[in-house]
Amino acid sequence: MATTNRWFVVGISGATCSGKTTLARKIRDNFPGSVMVRQDDYFLPPDDPRHVKVTELNHLNWDLMTSLDMPRMHSDVLRILESKDAARSEKSMLILDGFLLFRHKALTDLCDRKYFLTLTKEQCWGRRKDRAYDPPDVPGYFDKVVWPEYMEYESEITRDTELRATITFIDGSNDTKETYETISKEISQLLS
């Protein structure tokens, strides 16, 4: 649960290109006073020694926790949660968006609601192949790294029965407007 009753924390995770950030932005934009923190903003610089190289692709593995500065993200989140004006009575919402968010137990434990967006491999590739990344995906990166890492992450979550019980799984191929409306209604009820 969130560290303070002045904040309602929503965690959104799942497959790459499943609509996590779109959903997080819609929630932020439609709930006044909301703050959003994106795991993608915490990637380490390419020259950081903590990166793991995929030798056969001559490319870094950007789909591991070691490619992210999670201590800094956690610290930023705690600073936000502690920053709310104590005199205000209404809750504000903090939205955490990340493709590996629920691998970080301390952040996961802060979430009042957790959503995990899924896609099939074909749906995921269909969306990812047209996206531009910095650095760009090299040929074979999706099949060799992105999809296997996602499958391992999803498997970890589903094997952890305690964690799985706290997560709402959503088909990321569903209509984004419909998904947002369902989640928005749920959050509104929880905030009232």
Side-chain angles (χ1 to χ4, degrees):
M1 285 296 166
T3 57
T4 170
N5 61 7
R6 293 187 304 273
W7 285 95
F8 185 81
V9 183
V10 175
I12 302 172
S13 193
T16 180
C17 303
S18 61
K20 299 179 299 297
T21 302
T22 300
L23 176 60
R25 284 185 180 135
K26 278 185 167 236
I27 294 168
R28 179 200 60 204
D29 294 347
N30 289 290
F31 284 86
S34 295
V35 177
M36 182 171 137
V37 177
R38 298 178 62 237
Q39 193 173 41
D40 282 359
D41 294 334
Y42 294 88
F43 278 111
L44 298 170
D47 60 352
D48 193 288
R50 290 171 281 183
H51 280 296
V52 174
K53 189 168 188 174
V54 184
T55 310
E56 55 268 44
L57 298 177
N58 193 28
H59 194 68
L60 298 178
N61 185 340
W62 295 94
D63 289 78
L64 298 171
M65 287 293 277
T66 53
S67 68
L68 298 153
D69 187 348
M70 293 309 295
R72 185 168 62 90
M73 181 178 180
H74 184 229
S75 174
D76 288 352
V77 167
L78 292 179
R79 191 169 24 262
I80 290 166
L81 292 174
E82 292 162 2
S83 70
K84 192 70 176 161
D85 180 0
R88 293 185 55 167
S89 59
E90 71 272 10
K91 281 190 180 190
S92 291
M93 191 172 348
L94 174 60
I95 305 131
L96 306 179
D97 161 28
F99 72 111
L100 294 175
L101 182 66
F102 301 146
R103 266 198 178 146
H104 192 281
K105 183 167 175 22
L107 287 174
T108 303
D109 289 348
L110 291 172
C111 297
D112 296 296
R113 292 295 298 144
K114 301 176 198 81
Y115 300 99
F116 192 95
L117 280 68
T118 62
L119 287 175
T120 66
K121 184 177 183 182
E122 294 73 25
Q123 292 164 337
C124 193
W125 172 245
R127 294 178 183 188
R128 181 152 178 134
K129 67 182 171 58
D130 297 326
R131 286 233 183 133
Y133 289 91
D134 182 23
D137 285 355
V138 295
Y141 184 72
F142 179 82
D143 286 322
K144 178 83 179 158
V145 178
V146 174
W147 190 253
E149 294 290 358
Y150 164 69
M151 291 304 297
E152 177 58 29
Y153 175 48
E154 183 185 41
S155 177
E156 279 177 29
I157 288 170
T158 55
R159 284 192 316 257
D160 183 336
T161 53
E162 192 175 311
L163 175 60
R164 185 182 68 222
T166 67
I167 296 174
T168 300
F169 291 85
I170 299 166
D171 183 343
S173 68
N174 288 346
D175 177 67
T176 54
K177 186 173 188 259
E178 185 180 305
T179 298
Y180 167 73
E181 286 172 0
T182 300
I183 291 173
S184 174
K185 183 177 178 185
E186 180 178 83
I187 291 171
S188 295
Q189 289 171 345
L190 292 167
L191 288 173
S192 61

